[in-house]
Amino acid sequence: MSFNELLGITFPEASGTLVRGELPITDAIRQPYGFVHGGATITLLEAVASLGTGLQTDLSRELSFGVNVNVTHRKSGVDGTLHGEAALDREEKSSKGYRKLFWNVCARDDAGDVISEGVVMCMIVPRQAAIDNPHLESSPNIFR
């Protein structure tokens, strides 16, 4: 079971430039005071940005990763569903063959009020660069 499935995140709309996701508010994602945990909201926002990035990734030669999340919480969620959206803002290419995708992200409650908003940056890297990463030497060999 994937992390998104574990939390119940679904994606009613997904393209390489716009992704919408939904996260049901349950006790599993509430903090001790009964409000949605900020980490759950951030998870939803990274999930929508990551899916959009993945849809722009040629998995035969590239891998994608979320690398930076800058989100401000505006209001606490309590019940219902969180509705997350990622809209591609821009792409920057590097001389090393990496691509950075910047997503404007926003989570709203059922009433349409903003819960959290910000920017998620994802990176698309050549598959070989990820395989050759020295930090993976002690990790399970998932790429070969």
Side-chain angles (χ1 to χ4, degrees):
M1 175 179 287
S2 75
F3 187 56
N4 291 336
E5 290 171 328
L6 182 66
L7 292 176
I9 296 173
T10 58
F11 302 96
E13 182 178 344
S15 75
T17 58
L18 179 69
V19 178
R20 290 193 172 95
E22 296 179 346
L23 173 61
I25 298 173
T26 65
D27 286 341
I29 67 163
R30 287 188 181 96
Q31 40 92 308
Y33 308 113
F35 300 102
V36 172
H37 192 289
T41 305
I42 291 170
T43 296
L44 173 63
L45 294 176
E46 186 170 353
V48 290
S50 292
L51 178 56
T53 301
L55 292 171
Q56 293 199 31
T57 304
D58 178 354
L59 293 175
S60 70
R61 57 182 186 84
E62 300 173 314
L63 296 171
S64 61
F65 301 93
V67 295
N68 187 279
V69 177
N70 185 351
V71 169
T72 301
H73 301 298
R74 304 275 181 211
K75 178 182 171 184
S76 298
V78 179
D79 291 307
T81 301
L82 287 179
H83 306 271
E85 180 176 292
L88 183 62
D89 179 55
R90 70 186 187 282
E91 178 179 325
E92 296 177 2
K93 296 182 181 185
S94 79
S95 60
K96 295 180 181 180
Y98 294 57
R99 294 188 288 150
K100 295 178 186 175
L101 280 68
F102 294 83
W103 297 87
N104 293 323
V105 295
C106 184
R108 297 178 185 275
D109 61 15
D110 287 329
D113 294 337
V114 174
I115 300 295
S116 301
E117 61 187 346
V119 176
V120 173
M121 181 179 73
C122 296
M123 190 174 294
I124 299 173
V125 302
R127 184 176 278 271
Q128 194 61 46
I131 293 169
D132 293 341
N133 186 331
H135 298 289
L136 298 178
E137 289 176 6
S138 62
S139 300
N141 195 349
I142 62 172
F143 298 115
R144 298 175 196 219

